[in-house]
């Protein structure tokens, strides 16, 4: 079954993925394509609607992205957002100019509720603006359907041709009823049926994998992260015992993590191989202090261990990868197979003899992957697992890694995570963990003087992990964490909380 498709044409806006996620949230399938996609290709995909994203350019600049004017003649509804709105206005014979007053942030707007996009919504509400230019003269056939104090064309519409533009960003949470406006475009203008659900996705994907794989064998490197776990669960439904998952336990994982992964998969009707490679990794890491060397060694060692196990299995027909849609969009290729290294280093496939790569999650956003994982019966702790770097605790122990330091960090980190969960903050902090600094300092415990490690706690909030704010964890939670760690874990006599954002710091300490 083919899903109805909306194309999000990307003009380089920072919210391109957010727009696509919002469309998917409305149960409509969409794909993000670069604005340079040839018209014939767009037509061949038979979209029910097209959304232009915003972009960093001004339509006046020489190298400003353009669009083939024939796109507007195809009879397909188009919604232009911000830059996309300017481009639509300019291409169709209107005029865009620098706005006398630049608008940025939450802005009160009034709407014409007779317009399909705003029908049934309040006449006044707040929108998120971020622009220097504005539509000064609308193209023929358009009317202004929303205004702010400084922007007479906050939205424009040509209902006969089903062409719409918005100066503001409906995809951003700060715009009240923004998703409702997009929903109206999708359902009332594009006549979407809402046929995109995780249930239908998993049914059709399982079917497709079965047809593709036939009686072949599939191999997956299971890291225990969300993507590879959901990939394993989906493949196990599709091909059962013809799936082999190799889970390399590096000995650098968090407390109980290896066992949790094993528990989730050991009962399934698949070949599950857990390789306990802790000693191998630790001996290779002995005396190594440089973070990049650590990463390199772990990456290489991982590949070696995987290779040995893969060879034992013999012939493999398909190598599965948990690539997800943002990886594909960010690669800028649109549809080329992207080889994602689960450990961000090295890459897996060169050495395994396989016929094809399968990437059953390549169309999904992270939140969809999570939903699918839950639908497939994976436990919540796996599905909601925060990101964890491939090199694991090796980059959270500054300097040399020893089994003793690993044990200390594992216990301290587990207490931190436990208290965050107890405070109900798990979902509001994007990533949080403990770091064992190499620093030792003087303390006093009981009647004695101590000379022990300083532990750092890190918590960040972020949507993209490229930039991040330090999380404002309540003092009371930090206090409990600190007391518990010092009391329950040996060799820590000082705890600090990292209050730097990224940039200038990174999220990890190494
Ligand atoms: P940084 O420290 O660069 O981290 O701000 C950004 C995000 O990437 C994760 N990270 C890694 N993930 N291999 C990984 O798979 C790595 O070597 C690695 N280093 C950092 C980090 O946990 C954060 O989510």
């Amino acid at each position: 079954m083919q899903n109805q498709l909306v194309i999000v044409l990307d003009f380089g806006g920072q919210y391109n993925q957010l727009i696509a996620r919002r469309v998917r949230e409305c149960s409509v399938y969409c794909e993000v394509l670069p604005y340079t996609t040839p018209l014939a290709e767009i037509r061949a995909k038979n979209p029910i609607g097209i959304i232009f994203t915003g972009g960093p350019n001004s339509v006046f600049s020489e190298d400003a992205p353009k669009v083939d004017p024939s796109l507007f003649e195809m009879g397909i509804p188009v919604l232009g957002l911000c830059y996309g709105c300017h481009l639509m206005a300019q291409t169709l014979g209107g005029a865009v100019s620098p706005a006398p007053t630049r608008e940025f942030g939450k802005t009160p707007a009034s709407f014409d509720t007779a317009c399909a996009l705003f029908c049934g919504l309040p006449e006044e509400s707040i929108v998120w603006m971020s622009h220097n230019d504005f539509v000064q003269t609308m193209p023929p056939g358009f009317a202004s359907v929303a205004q702010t104090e400084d922007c007479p064309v906050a939205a424009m519409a040509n209902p006969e041709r089903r062409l719409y533009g918005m100066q503001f960003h409906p995809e951003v949470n700060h715009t009240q009823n923004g998703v409702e406006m997009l929903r109206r475009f999708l359902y009332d203008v594009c006549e979407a049926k809402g046929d995109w659900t995780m249930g239908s996705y998993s049914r059709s994907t399982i079917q497709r994998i079965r047809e593709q794989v036939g009686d072949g064998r599939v191999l997956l490197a299971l890291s225990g992260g969300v993507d590879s776990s959901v990939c394993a669960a989906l493949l196990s439904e599709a091909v059962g015992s013809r799936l082999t998952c190799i889970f390399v336990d590096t000995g650098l994982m968090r407390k109980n993590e290896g066992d949790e992964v094993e528990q989730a998969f050991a009962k399934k009707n698949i070949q599950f191989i857990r390789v306990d490679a802790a000693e191998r990794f630790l001996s290779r890491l002995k005396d190594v202090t440089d973070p990049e060397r650590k990463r390199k060694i772990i990456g290489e060692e991982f590949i070696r261990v995987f290779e040995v196990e893969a060879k034992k299995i013999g012939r493999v027909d398909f190598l599965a990868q948990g690539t997800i849609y943002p990886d594909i969009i960010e690669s800028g290729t649109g549809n080329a197979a992207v080889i994602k290294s689960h450990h961000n280093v090295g890459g897996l496939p060169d050495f395994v003899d396989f016929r094809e790569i399968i990437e059953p999650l390549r169309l999904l956003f992270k939140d969809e992957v999570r939903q699918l994982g839950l639908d497939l019966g994976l436990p919540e702790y796996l599905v909601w697992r925060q990101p964890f770097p491939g090199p694991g605790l090796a980059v959270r122990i500054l300097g040399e890694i020893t089994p003793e330091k690993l044990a200390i960090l594992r216990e301290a980190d587990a207490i931190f995570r436990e208290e965050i969960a107890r405070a109900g903050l798990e979902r509001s902090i994007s990533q949080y963990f403990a770091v064992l600094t190499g620093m030792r300092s003087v303390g006093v415990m009981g009647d004695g003087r101590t000379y022990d490690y300083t532990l750092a706690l890190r918590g960040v909030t972020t949507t993209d992990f490229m930039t991040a704010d330090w999380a404002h964890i309540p003092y009371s939670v930090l206090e409990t964490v600190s007391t518990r760690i010092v009391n329950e874990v040996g060799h820590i006599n000082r705890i600090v909380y990292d209050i730097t954002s990224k940039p200038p710091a990174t999220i990890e300490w190494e």
Side-chain angles (χ1 to χ4, degrees):
M1 191 191 74
Q2 194 77 16
N3 287 101
Q4 287 185 320
L5 167 73
V6 165
I7 289 177
V8 175
L9 214 51
D10 183 9
F11 290 92
Q14 55 178 327
Y15 300 128
N16 59 5
Q17 289 193 31
L18 191 54
I19 296 168
R21 277 171 50 197
R22 294 284 180 255
V23 174
R24 299 263 187 106
E25 274 168 39
C26 293
S27 308
V28 178
Y29 178 61
C30 68
E31 288 180 15
V32 181
L33 297 180
Y35 74 90
T36 47
T37 308
L39 208 55
E41 199 178 307
I42 293 178
R43 193 179 282 120
K45 284 179 171 281
N46 197 22
I48 59 167
I50 300 173
I51 299 177
F52 292 179
T53 73
N57 298 71
S58 166
V59 284
F60 318 117
S61 67
E62 241 176 47
D63 48 0
K66 296 267 184 287
V67 67
D68 186 336
S70 322
L71 184 139
F72 298 105
E73 309 301 329
M74 296 195 296
I76 300 169
V78 182
L79 171 63
L81 303 178
C82 199
Y83 179 85
C85 174
H86 300 161
L87 189 64
M88 177 186 281
Q90 193 194 48
T91 311
L92 295 174
V96 176
S97 66
T101 312
R102 176 179 181 269
E103 286 177 304
F104 183 82
K106 293 181 182 175
T107 312
S110 49
F111 299 92
D112 174 359
T113 54
C115 170
L117 300 185
F118 311 122
C119 182
L121 298 177
E123 286 179 359
E124 312 274 333
S125 62
I126 301 293
V127 299
W128 182 258
M129 285 288 197
S130 171
H131 67 111
N132 294 320
D133 300 342
F134 75 158
V135 176
Q136 190 175 39
T137 314
M138 285 176 284
F142 280 77
S144 168
V145 285
Q147 302 81 31
T148 68
E149 194 178 332
D150 294 310
C151 185
V153 186
M156 63 179 195
N158 182 335
E160 283 84 60
R161 296 178 67 189
R162 301 194 294 174
L163 303 178
Y164 296 85
M166 292 179 186
Q167 175 60 75
F168 57 91
H169 290 274
E171 70 278 17
V172 172
N173 276 336
H174 302 305
T175 295
Q176 292 171 346
N177 308 306
V179 177
E180 286 308 311
M181 296 170 191
L182 287 174
R183 191 188 305 279
R184 280 160 177 69
F185 175 70
L186 297 168
Y187 284 83
D188 301 337
V189 179
C190 304
E191 297 171 20
K193 294 193 294 240
D195 57 9
W196 176 252
T197 62
M198 280 305 100
S200 74
Y201 176 81
S202 92
R203 275 191 301 279
S204 61
T205 305
I206 287 170
Q207 183 61 31
R208 215 177 23 249
I209 295 171
R210 282 187 186 144
E211 284 162 15
Q212 187 183 2
V213 168
D215 55 10
R217 297 206 60 85
V218 185
L219 177 63
L220 172 73
L222 185 63
S223 70
V226 181
D227 303 341
S228 71
S229 297
V230 175
C231 192
L234 188 64
L235 286 165
S236 82
E237 291 290 321
V239 300
S241 61
R242 273 173 289 114
L243 169 67
T244 304
C245 289
I246 298 180
F247 167 52
V248 178
D249 188 342
T250 57
L252 301 167
M253 304 185 83
R254 291 167 291 197
K255 189 177 177 183
N256 298 336
E257 200 158 36
D259 295 341
E260 284 172 4
V261 175
E262 182 164 356
Q263 263 165 31
F265 291 100
K267 279 194 259 51
K268 288 194 187 288
N269 175 30
I270 59 175
Q271 313 288 328
F272 180 87
I273 300 171
R274 177 175 178 177
V275 192
D276 181 3
E279 273 180 28
R280 245 183 112 136
F281 278 85
L282 272 181
S283 68
R284 286 284 323 270
L285 288 166
K286 197 167 166 358
D287 297 329
V288 178
T289 54
D290 176 64
E292 283 318 302
R293 282 262 315 136
K294 287 183 187 175
R295 278 194 165 78
K296 199 154 183 293
I297 288 172
I298 294 166
E300 284 168 6
E301 204 56 25
F302 182 86
I303 288 180
R304 231 163 266 151
V305 173
F306 189 83
E307 185 177 23
V308 168
E309 292 304 319
K311 285 216 169 102
K312 287 186 198 158
I313 303 167
R315 195 185 131 76
V316 169
D317 304 284
F318 298 89
L319 187 77
Q321 298 207 102
T323 316
I324 69 170
Y325 198 44
D327 304 329
I328 308 249
I329 300 178
E330 277 151 24
S331 78
T333 51
N335 50 19
V338 177
I339 313 295
K340 174 183 175 185
S341 152
H342 290 275
H343 283 242
N344 273 13
V345 265
L348 291 180
D350 310 353
F351 55 87
V352 183
D353 186 20
F354 63 95
R355 209 168 60 199
E356 261 178 77
I357 288 190
I358 42 178
E359 299 173 309
L361 309 179
R362 70 198 307 276
L363 298 178
L364 304 185
F365 285 107
K366 195 81 172 188
D367 42 356
E368 294 175 310
V369 172
R370 290 207 162 99
Q371 183 57 52
L372 181 61
L374 292 174
D375 288 358
L376 290 166
L378 283 181
E380 290 226 351
Y381 63 77
L382 266 193
V383 167
W384 282 101
R385 177 159 280 175
Q386 48 170 323
F388 183 59
L393 300 182
V395 292
R396 294 181 182 170
I397 292 175
L398 307 193
E400 195 198 344
I401 299 153
T402 63
E404 295 73 35
K405 285 186 187 170
L406 271 169
I408 294 172
L409 180 58
R410 233 180 234 127
E411 290 306 316
D413 184 71
I415 292 173
F416 186 30
R417 286 192 287 141
E418 223 172 277
E419 291 303 327
I420 292 289
R422 205 193 304 275
L425 297 171
E426 270 174 310
R427 305 262 169 99
S428 51
I429 307 177
S430 315
Q431 199 174 357
Y432 48 94
F433 51 87
V435 175
L436 191 62
T437 74
M439 194 182 92
R440 299 174 97 187
S441 68
V442 174
V444 56
M445 260 194 194
D447 293 329
R449 185 177 174 281
T450 58
Y451 187 62
D452 271 328
Y453 288 113
T454 298
L455 184 89
L457 302 174
R458 180 79 161 137
V460 295
T461 54
T462 173
T463 47
D464 55 10
F465 295 88
M466 310 286 282
T467 61
D469 292 319
W470 59 276
H472 292 214
I473 298 175
Y475 284 169
S476 55
V477 178
L478 290 174
E479 186 178 7
T480 313
V481 173
S482 163
T483 310
R484 277 197 61 195
I485 291 177
V486 173
N487 285 340
E488 296 174 35
V489 186
H491 302 295
I492 294 172
N493 67 354
R494 198 175 289 276
I495 297 180
V496 296
Y497 187 54
D498 182 348
I499 52 165
T500 37
S501 33
K502 173 185 178 180
T506 48
I507 295 174
E508 301 289 346
W509 275 40
E510 276 199 343

